[in-house]
Amino acid sequence: MSMRLKALVWCMVAVAVAAAAAAAEAACIRGGARSLLLVEKDKGARTQRTSVPCNPSLVGSVEACNNSSIKAFGVVDYPWGHEAIAIPSDGSPWGIHITGPYPDGTTYLLSWFSGEPDIGASLVTRPHRRAFVETSPTLGAVTTKPGASLAGRSCVTRHQGTTLSYTRTYLEAGLAGRSYMSPYISHVLLTGLSPGTKYYYSVGHGTVAGQWSPERAFTTMRAAATPSTGGGGGGGSDGGARQKQQAWYPLCLGFMGDVGQTANSSLTRDRLLASRPEAVIMVGDNSYADNYDARSPDMYGNKWGSNQNRWDSFAVLWEPLFSAVPVLNCIGNHEVEDAFIAAEVTYATNATLLQYPRNYPFQAYASRYPVPGTPAALLGDISSSLWYSTVLGGKVSLVVLNSYVPFHESTPQHDWAVATFKAVQRDVTPWLFVVFHASAYHSYADHYKEMECFMSVYEPLFYSHAVDLVLSGHVHAYERTHPVYNYTVDACAPIYVTIGDGGNIEGPVRSFVDGVDPSTGKTFCEGLLSEAGLGPLEVADSPDPRVQSAWGPRSQSDLNPPGCPSTSFQAAGGGEGLGPPLVQRGTDRDGRPLGFCQSTQPEWSAYRDPSFGHAVLELTSDSVASLHWHRNGAGAGAKPADTVQLVRPPECALSPGARRARLAGLRHRQR
């Protein structure tokens, strides 16, 4: 059960940093020289295929590299009560986090927790508690004593906030005494903030002693341009256009996913914070609370329920990053949390009607991390946090999708996505990024081709609207593709980045589908089975539409409508060193054999590495960006393991109609 309580919020507005200083402070930290890869222009560069094998020193042994059932060395969550994840006992705010920007570019959501959760058979609704945010125009350090606010300052702006809590009621008899009520969750919308400005702030609960946070700071991103002032979708062909673009670039974004709460997670957090991004895109799978039994936050294994205390410890661990940099989050499979409560989501679920107590998957995520664009009245509402879009730095349109609720044609999500892509103005926001959790293009054995049904619906949409970059996780490793459409390199298609390597307890993925399993002498591809125990040929050849859509785990296949193809088969491609495909089924119209996997690193795969890390993208103009991937094991200050400059070629700057005509001539996934 959740409650909404109005809270008074104070905000003092300050312009703290000049534009030039703000741009310098926000600039990415990069190590080493850049390797230049004009992905869309240099035909030779498109054949680059770098494959880094599993490092036994990172997972513990050679055997662990070849057997994912062997737990990787050192991949354990902090034990409950450890100082890295401990909730304050004095009632002070904790888990402070910034969400944004909202689509208007000047609104951010500031959230935090206070108090402790309640666990028991009978939970009582919490009494009213006021919440405050105070920001100070004072530059430099401000000493804040314990229990003191930043009161007494001038230039005060008041905002109205919301405090809520949620209840998770278990249906299993053995969990009758383990129902959970969250701590106070405070959400404050800060509206009308000045773009490109550093704000100092403190959060708290009025005059209650000891309940104010130490001073923190974050910098708002630059806001949306207009065609007349921001201009230049073609990348600035003259000096005037280049000068206009200098006001918006460089723009630095951090990427991470599947982070969890291990020592590896802390390393990802600190390394990404040191890279100084202006915002962080988190591609889902946050706390991994659903890996824990509801009876104890140290009982790993999830026999019963999901342990919500692990959401609390997650918030503490990630506060140093989340309170300093705005975060754009995404729902992953570990956010579903539908075990032993009244929750069910399938392809037939009406995603607009998810709410407690009737049907409430995604409850913890939606209550704790509402998405950009959520109005004050709907903060904590599940259906309002399932998908969203926003604008980053005035130059990037970001569209965040969700494959764990119905996504096929004529669903609310699909209708919204079609309208959202159509509304993007590329002369205002020349960059278009898409985020969803499960990776559609990767060559690892785990979660291989799990998104075929989803992509049969959305990949043509991505192509026709000239999406530049698609970010995903789910696979606990890193992989970057060349521009690709339907497993074929295409200079005008999106680049896909798998960034699910944030450091979680499940460990890194270690095996490529084309790698050989020492225990069988066959490739890992040849041993792949669906959750129902069927191979890809059995799924593809079944006359039963429900089986045809059933490749992959239930968390995904239950969302695939019957008959939606969940497997696909491709030829080897035309690059050098490419062997015949594996698990073959038929031939293409040119007579080449088609296979479920490739016997080598695929032609469309540019770089793959089964290690933990994070990525930083620096956009330097309307058509040029540099991507840097940092491996955790490389050490602080090390050069990025993968660095590439991406350039959008002029021939891809087609009108939507021209792109649809081009799309009509391409081979597509079977529908």
Side-chain angles (χ1 to χ4, degrees):
M1 179 180 300
S2 65
M3 61 180 181
R4 303 181 183 279
L5 302 174
K6 292 185 177 179
L8 183 64
V9 178
W10 300 73
C11 181
M12 303 177 189
V13 181
V15 176
V17 181
E25 180 176 13
C28 304
I29 296 177
R30 296 177 297 280
R34 300 177 185 172
S35 61
L36 185 63
L37 176 60
L38 301 182
V39 175
E40 298 86 354
K41 292 183 178 179
D42 186 346
K43 294 183 179 179
R46 295 178 200 167
T47 64
Q48 177 215 8
R49 289 182 292 140
T50 300
S51 182
V52 179
C54 172
N55 185 342
S57 67
L58 296 181
V59 297
S61 65
V62 174
E63 291 76 14
C65 276
N66 294 313
N67 185 349
S68 60
S69 66
I70 300 175
K71 191 167 183 62
F73 173 77
V75 184
V76 290
D77 281 341
Y78 288 107
W80 187 250
H82 189 282
E83 62 181 359
I85 59 171
I87 297 172
S89 59
D90 61 358
S92 60
W94 51 274
I96 300 170
H97 53 281
I98 306 161
T99 300
Y102 272 46
D104 64 5
T106 62
T107 299
Y108 290 78
L109 178 65
L110 188 57
S111 309
W112 70 95
F113 309 91
S114 52
E116 298 183 7
D118 290 333
I119 297 174
S122 300
L123 300 176
V124 180
T125 300
R126 299 185 184 281
H128 173 82
R129 174 178 284 188
R130 295 187 299 171
F132 299 85
V133 173
E134 293 185 352
T135 63
S136 170
T138 304
L139 299 180
V142 176
T143 301
T144 303
K145 297 179 180 179
S149 73
L150 300 182
R153 303 186 185 274
S154 60
C155 189
V156 175
T157 300
R158 294 185 178 185
H159 298 263
Q160 190 71 37
T162 299
T163 299
L164 59 87
S165 61
Y166 70 87
T167 300
R168 186 176 180 88
T169 305
Y170 290 106
L171 303 178
E172 174 65 39
L175 296 176
R178 299 299 305 177
S179 289
Y180 171 96
M181 178 176 285
S182 73
Y184 284 105
I185 306 172
S186 297
H187 296 302
V188 177
L189 281 174
L190 303 179
T191 61
L193 300 186
S194 299
T197 301
K198 189 169 186 176
Y199 285 87
Y200 297 86
Y201 71 91
S202 179
V203 305
H205 294 282
T207 59
V208 180
Q211 293 187 355
W212 283 92
S213 72
E215 184 195 71
R216 289 170 169 78
F218 81 101
T219 300
T220 57
M221 302 187 77
R222 285 156 286 187
T226 64
S228 59
T229 61
S237 59
D238 56 54
R242 284 193 297 270
Q243 187 175 13
K244 290 177 181 178
Q245 289 190 38
Q246 289 175 359
W248 307 101
Y249 298 106
L251 172 57
C252 181
L253 303 173
F255 302 152
M256 67 179 189
D258 301 74
V259 293
Q261 43 194 301
T262 70
N264 291 298
S265 310
S266 297
L267 190 57
T268 299
R269 176 200 66 195
D270 296 342
R271 297 275 174 82
L272 184 51
L273 187 58
S275 295
R276 294 192 300 200
E278 297 176 57
V280 170
I281 296 175
M282 164 67 187
V283 298
D285 279 5
N286 290 256
S287 70
Y288 288 79
D290 63 338
N291 278 357
Y292 284 86
D293 195 292
R295 293 170 292 179
S296 169
D298 279 325
M299 190 180 292
Y300 184 78
N302 187 19
K303 179 181 179 181
W304 281 349
S306 173
N307 196 286
Q308 297 296 287
N309 292 113
R310 281 291 174 177
W311 274 105
D312 301 327
S313 55
F314 169 82
V316 174
L317 183 69
W318 284 92
E319 181 176 347
L321 175 64
F322 286 12
S323 64
V325 182
V327 176
L328 296 307
N329 216 319
C330 169
I331 283 178
N333 56 298
H334 285 279
E335 278 71 64
V336 179
E337 294 190 296
D338 57 355
F340 298 100
I341 64 171
E344 181 184 35
V345 58
T346 72
Y347 71 90
T349 299
N350 187 337
T352 65
L353 299 178
L354 298 178
Q355 60 183 344
Y356 180 89
R358 185 171 60 182
N359 189 7
Y360 58 103
F362 315 110
Q363 179 196 37
Y365 171 86
S367 299
R368 296 167 184 262
Y369 300 99
V371 304
T374 307
L378 294 177
L379 292 168
D381 176 70
I382 295 173
S383 295
S384 298
S385 288
L386 298 177
W387 55 78
Y388 67 95
S389 67
T390 192
V391 175
L392 305 181
K395 286 294 185 178
V396 179
S397 287
L398 180 71
V399 179
V400 181
L401 301 172
N402 184 351
S403 70
Y404 301 106
V405 294
F407 55 77
H408 51 281
E409 293 176 2
S410 299
T411 61
Q413 179 174 198
H414 186 266
D415 291 345
W416 170 87
V418 170
T420 298
F421 281 118
K422 186 177 180 179
V424 172
Q425 295 176 276
R426 299 304 282 271
D427 55 350
V428 178
T429 54
W431 294 96
L432 177 56
F433 298 168
V434 169
V435 174
F436 50 83
H437 176 62
S439 174
Y441 279 101
H442 70 88
S443 53
Y444 294 93
D446 287 33
H447 305 299
Y448 185 65
K449 287 192 172 179
E450 197 170 295
M451 294 290 283
E452 292 301 286
C453 173
F454 181 90
M455 290 296 283
S456 74
V457 177
Y458 286 92
E459 190 172 24
L461 195 63
F462 299 162
Y463 193 95
S464 62
H465 288 280
V467 169
D468 297 297
L469 198 65
V470 177
L471 301 164
S472 300
H474 199 43
V475 178
H476 302 161
Y478 172 72
E479 187 160 6
R480 170 178 57 84
T481 73
H482 296 297
V484 59
Y485 181 83
N486 190 24
Y487 297 95
T488 301
V489 174
D490 183 315
C492 297
I495 291 170
Y496 291 76
V497 177
T498 299
I499 194 72
D501 54 352
N504 70 78
I505 191 173
E506 295 178 354
V509 169
R510 308 157 214 179
S511 304
F512 304 121
V513 287
D514 50 284
V516 176
D517 184 347
S519 66
T520 65
K522 297 182 178 180
T523 63
F524 286 99
C525 176
E526 293 168 283
L528 294 178
L529 297 173
S530 71
E531 193 165 293
L534 301 177
L537 295 177
E538 295 172 289
V539 171
D541 294 334
S542 173
D544 188 341
R546 293 170 297 181
V547 175
Q548 294 169 12
S549 62
W551 181 258
R554 289 284 303 276
S555 60
Q556 186 58 65
S557 62
D558 281 353
L559 276 301
N560 298 341
C564 186
S566 60
T567 57
S568 67
F569 300 81
Q570 291 82 34
E576 294 183 4
L578 299 175
L582 303 168
V583 189
Q584 295 184 8
R585 179 178 183 262
T587 60
D588 66 9
R589 58 193 181 194
D590 297 322
R592 299 180 299 173
L594 302 175
F596 190 62
C597 314
Q598 301 305 312
S599 57
T600 59
Q601 182 180 4
E603 188 176 29
W604 45 263
S605 173
Y607 189 105
R608 59 184 187 179
D609 187 328
S611 303
F612 287 145
H614 75 276
V616 173
L617 182 74
E618 183 184 15
L619 294 93
T620 54
S621 77
D622 285 357
S623 60
V624 179
S626 296
L627 178 68
H628 311 271
W629 177 70
H630 299 262
R631 186 188 300 118
N632 279 359
K639 296 179 181 180
D642 180 32
T643 295
V644 58
Q645 189 175 58
L646 309 172
V647 177
R648 184 190 300 116
E651 62 267 23
C652 296
L654 303 175
S655 67
R659 290 189 66 87
R660 284 191 291 271
R662 179 185 175 100
L663 182 65
L666 300 177
R667 301 179 185 180
H668 312 298
R669 283 174 170 83
Q670 179 185 355
R671 291 295 305 276

